[in-house]
Amino acid sequence: MSSSSYTVFYGSLVNPETLTSYETSLNTLVAVNSHGIIDWVVRDVSDALVQTTLLEKGCPDAEVVDLKDGQFIMPGFVDTHTHAPQLPNIGSGHQYELLEWLKHVTFPMEAKFCDVEFARKTYSSVVHRIINHGTTTCCYYGTLHLDATKELANIVHSLGQRAFVGKCNMDRNSEPYYVEPSWQSSVDDTKALISHIRTLESGSSGIPLVKPILTPRFAISCSSPLLSSLGEMATADPSLHIQTHISENLSEIEFTKQLFPECKSYADVYDSYGLLRDNTVLAHAVHLSKDEIELIANRKAGISHCPTSNFNLNSGVAPIGKYLDRGIKVGLGTDVSGGFSPSILNSIQNASIASKVIAMQNRGQNNYESGKFANSQLSIATLLYLATLGGAQVCALDHVVGSLVPGKSFDAIIVDVRNTAGNPAMWDINAGTHDLKDHDALEGMLQRFLFCGDDRNISDVFVQGRRIGGRNY
């Protein structure tokens, strides 16, 4: 490989390590090859030694991207749960809880996607917005419409985002104008979508960026023959990911138990049909029983924590610390439009508040244990992890993305916390009003970004080494 085929980023780096630690490094070189893979990382390189280091690494002619003071690079966000057709509804229906919200707000909007041209125009805007908020990997729910969901996959592919795209399976318990005619047609359309997505070209690394995902909307919307068929598809193809909802709302849970009296629990419904495994993404999980937690942990399924939606639809506060203590994989989801922001930053902020609510509710009960997450507020390290590497684990992609280390794909964002970014909520740490320096300054910039940042502070978004969005794109 010629040295000119490398792009080397030079500046400050923030990287998740574990649920309790993250790295901040200054004057760091990150080398990305022509396939979008990180070849090497060298830390603490002074300006005077940059060219020497490139020469030692065999790439003296590499393109060097210099980050400015007030900028840093970090892994892109992983949104483990969102609904692409719901973005036009964002901010609406806050007066409802889940089932009424679906009836009065969501299903009427999703039904409009029977019009493929409407879907094409809407999805183009949706995916652009989500990318510009720093989301490099996204789990998308489409609607029940095959052709519209094909358009969603096409648009995601054309814009270069890494994603899972699924057509909702829902053959019962919906509005008459928005339900599939039969379980068989639902299965046939799902198979057609899978075939379509798998015909899309792979990225430069040979790894397909857009993948299909089985998407039974939730147990309520799926008949037993439909769930059985989806389970058979999953068993026949272990590489197929699965996404669905679980235990979001108390009324939803009660209805599910009525529909599946033969099952021990909501989680057992999915397990009974072969849909609970290590590449299953379970959204919400607000009200899991002890037995359900054990079942999910044993099946190595992941949970998408959607705190904004859980607050907004009055669903409850998920005990994420308890799940982390049990070793369950957890990532963050925006759950638009139950959630009212397409930004994972908003999910980070509300995940922090949710953990503090639980901590306050349990204060004084002597149930705090050293090293445990339950009943404690989530730290910056934990929040960063959930938004990046934790989400990658939930998607079974942590060997590919989630952190910026050699061998992984360069899915990254350049964060800019300077006043010139134009975000009035962000106080410039370099404005002479703080005494923070070096690593302390970088940690300060990270915290301000996580709690005060928005898309204006994301100057560039990269997937597989290719710049696909951001303020400067």
Side-chain angles (χ1 to χ4, degrees):
M1 181 182 298
S2 68
S3 64
S4 60
S5 62
Y6 279 91
T7 301
V8 179
F9 295 84
Y10 180 56
S12 297
L13 171 69
V14 172
N15 222 8
E17 294 177 325
T18 71
L19 282 164
T20 56
S21 67
Y22 62 93
E23 171 197 12
T24 57
S25 59
L26 308 172
N27 304 318
T28 300
L29 293 169
V30 180
V32 182
N33 66 29
S34 61
H35 298 297
I37 305 295
I38 300 170
D39 261 12
W40 49 264
V41 178
V42 179
R43 296 161 181 83
D44 299 319
V45 180
S46 67
D47 289 349
L49 292 178
V50 168
Q51 199 57 43
T52 301
T53 304
L54 296 179
L55 186 61
E56 290 173 350
K57 290 293 185 178
C59 53
D61 299 325
E63 177 190 0
V64 177
V65 178
D66 286 300
L67 275 64
K68 299 177 176 62
D69 290 339
Q71 293 184 320
F72 62 89
I73 197 164
M74 62 173 283
F77 295 130
V78 179
D79 187 343
T80 55
H81 180 70
T82 203
H83 294 263
Q86 292 179 19
L87 229 74
N89 277 341
I90 204 162
S92 305
H94 66 277
Q95 68 270 35
Y96 297 114
E97 291 192 8
L98 175 64
L99 298 182
E100 289 299 301
W101 174 79
L102 289 171
K103 178 179 180 180
H104 295 294
V105 178
T106 301
F107 289 160
M109 173 56 69
E110 291 194 14
K112 295 181 180 180
F113 285 77
C114 63
D115 181 340
V116 178
E117 185 58 30
F118 173 81
R120 184 178 298 115
K121 291 179 179 178
T122 303
Y123 284 148
S124 179
S125 176
V126 165
V127 179
H128 268 111
R129 292 183 189 208
I130 291 174
I131 289 172
N132 288 334
H133 277 92
T135 296
T136 50
T137 298
C138 193
C139 293
Y140 287 110
Y141 283 59
T143 60
L144 58 74
H145 309 103
L146 171 60
D147 290 339
T149 311
K150 283 182 177 180
E151 284 301 319
L152 174 58
N154 292 344
I155 289 165
V156 172
H157 172 69
S158 68
L159 295 178
Q161 190 182 35
R162 194 182 305 274
F164 296 90
V165 176
K167 184 202 76 66
C168 281
N169 300 112
M170 40 191 303
D171 68 334
R172 66 170 179 174
N173 293 321
S174 185
E175 299 303 301
Y177 61 83
Y178 190 58
V179 66
E180 294 177 290
S182 69
W183 68 265
Q184 186 64 60
S185 67
S186 182
V187 170
D188 290 345
D189 284 353
T190 298
K191 290 179 178 178
L193 178 67
I194 292 170
S195 296
H196 174 77
I197 292 175
R198 287 178 170 169
T199 64
L200 299 176
E201 295 178 5
S202 299
S204 60
S205 65
I207 300 172
L209 295 179
V210 184
K211 295 183 178 182
I213 186 167
L214 296 177
T215 308
R217 186 177 198 120
F218 55 175
I220 289 173
S221 71
C222 298
S223 65
S224 292
L226 177 53
L227 289 176
S228 294
S229 297
L230 294 175
E232 291 170 2
M233 292 172 62
T235 300
D237 186 353
S239 71
L240 261 179
H241 286 60
I242 303 158
Q243 63 180 356
T244 190
H245 299 77
I246 190 169
S247 298
E248 179 179 358
N249 171 278
L250 293 176
S251 297
E252 165 214 10
I253 295 169
E254 185 58 34
F255 192 13
T256 301
K257 289 179 178 178
Q258 293 173 12
L259 292 171
F260 298 92
E262 72 280 7
C263 295
K264 300 175 184 177
S265 65
Y266 199 153
D268 187 49
V269 174
Y270 296 131
D271 192 51
S272 297
Y273 289 98
L275 295 169
L276 199 61
R277 61 188 190 187
D278 63 352
N279 56 2
T280 298
V281 182
L282 299 169
H284 300 291
V286 178
H287 305 286
L288 296 179
S289 67
K290 182 177 179 180
D291 288 343
E292 287 180 302
I293 293 172
E294 288 303 307
L295 178 59
I296 290 169
N298 290 335
R299 295 292 183 265
K300 296 180 170 42
I303 289 173
S304 174
H305 180 33
C306 306
T308 306
S309 175
N310 296 339
F311 283 135
N312 192 43
L313 296 181
N314 201 27
S315 298
V317 184
I320 293 304
K322 184 186 297 185
Y323 305 154
L324 294 176
D325 282 341
R326 184 56 187 83
I328 294 175
K329 302 177 294 187
V330 178
L332 296 180
T334 57
D335 192 33
V336 170
S337 65
F340 45 72
S341 172
S343 174
I344 285 291
L345 287 171
N346 178 269
S347 299
I348 289 170
Q349 294 151 18
N350 280 306
S352 177
I353 293 171
S355 70
K356 291 176 181 178
V357 168
I358 290 176
M360 287 187 287
Q361 289 173 338
N362 289 276
R363 185 175 290 163
Q365 297 185 21
N366 298 319
N367 52 4
Y368 291 96
E369 297 180 48
S370 177
K372 299 294 184 179
F373 297 94
N375 304 324
S376 298
Q377 71 182 59
L378 300 179
S379 67
I380 293 295
T382 306
L383 294 168
L384 175 65
Y385 191 92
L386 298 185
T388 54
L389 193 51
Q393 290 173 336
V394 169
C395 295
L397 284 178
D398 50 303
H399 61 296
V400 178
V401 298
S403 57
L404 301 178
V405 297
K408 287 193 178 183
S409 297
F410 187 74
D411 286 22
I413 58 176
I414 294 178
V415 177
D416 187 340
V417 299
R418 299 172 299 165
N419 283 340
T420 52
N423 179 359
M426 180 77 70
W427 193 271
D428 189 345
I429 202 167
N430 295 315
T433 52
H434 295 280
D435 296 325
L436 300 177
K437 295 182 180 179
D438 299 331
H439 289 276
D440 289 339
L442 181 51
E443 290 189 5
M445 288 190 288
L446 172 64
Q447 292 186 37
R448 284 163 175 76
F449 172 60
L450 295 183
F451 286 96
C452 301
D454 59 30
D455 57 309
R456 289 170 291 189
N457 299 108
I458 299 171
S459 64
D460 299 277
V461 180
F462 298 88
V463 170
Q464 202 71 43
R466 174 189 168 198
R467 187 157 65 106
I468 66 167
R471 192 188 72 246
N472 291 337
Y473 184 64

